[in-house]
């Protein structure tokens, strides 16, 4: 059964770093595209980054460019989101989601392009 579980969220000071994990079961992350999404209070869900074996990672959110990095550990069947230089604007619930094969070239606010979702993990950045 396909399942994704996020972890690693928490409270961090502005300028700090945090690493989120997305553990997959029921499928191999190496065969799927795994994307990170986030939703801040009162805002639409937005895509952040996506990784697959078929291309370099895709950056969906301009605001995280140069600060966030997505990576994959096939042995652990886990995808990570390394977040550096965090700002209060990064505060959101972060979700990982899966899609067969390739990352979607673009994503809607609903994230309908990705069919498998985790429950999310809260990230709060204090000033």
């Amino acid at each position: 059964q396909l399942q994704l579980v996020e972890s690693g969220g928490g409270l961090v000071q502005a300028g700090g770093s945090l690493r989120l994990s997305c553990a997959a079961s029921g499928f191999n992350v190496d065969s799927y595209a795994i994307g990170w999404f986030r939703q801040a209070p009162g805002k639409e869900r937005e895509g952040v980054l996506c990784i697959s074996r078929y291309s370099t990672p895709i950056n969906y959110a301009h605001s995280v460019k140069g600060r966030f990095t997505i990576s994959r550990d096939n042995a652990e069947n886990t995808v990570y989101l390394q977040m550096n230089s965090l700002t209060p604007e990064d505060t959101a619930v972060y979700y990982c989601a899966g899609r067969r094969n390739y990352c979607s070239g673009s994503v809607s606010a609903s994230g309908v392009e990705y069919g498998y979702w985790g429950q999310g993990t809260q990230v709060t950045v204090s000033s």
Side-chain angles (χ1 to χ4, degrees):
Q1 186 173 17
L2 299 174
Q3 187 174 9
L4 295 168
V5 179
E6 303 94 336
S7 63
L11 176 65
V12 65
Q13 294 280 337
S17 298
L18 204 61
R19 190 188 194 193
L20 306 182
S21 298
C22 174
S25 61
F27 68 98
N28 297 320
V29 298
D30 188 50
S31 300
Y32 277 69
I34 304 296
W36 282 99
F37 298 77
R38 66 183 183 181
Q39 186 167 22
K43 296 185 177 180
E44 293 184 326
R45 180 177 293 177
E46 66 173 342
V48 180
L49 284 161
C50 179
I51 191 170
S52 79
R53 65 180 297 175
Y54 301 106
S55 67
T56 56
I58 294 176
N59 186 186
Y60 294 128
H62 178 74
S63 63
V64 309
K65 186 177 181 180
R67 299 189 298 119
F68 290 11
T69 303
I70 191 169
S71 62
R72 179 181 65 242
D73 187 330
N74 292 330
E76 296 295 326
N77 209 33
T78 299
V79 173
Y80 302 95
L81 182 67
Q82 179 67 47
M83 305 184 294
N84 299 323
S85 301
L86 287 162
T87 73
E89 288 71 38
D90 296 315
T91 295
V93 177
Y94 284 72
Y95 302 87
C96 63
R99 180 178 187 268
R100 290 186 177 88
N101 297 320
Y102 298 89
C103 292
S104 178
S106 61
V107 292
S108 62
S110 67
V112 68
E113 297 86 358
Y114 292 79
Y116 308 101
W117 290 80
Q119 296 300 307
T121 185
Q122 176 71 48
V123 172
T124 302
V125 184
S126 62
S127 61

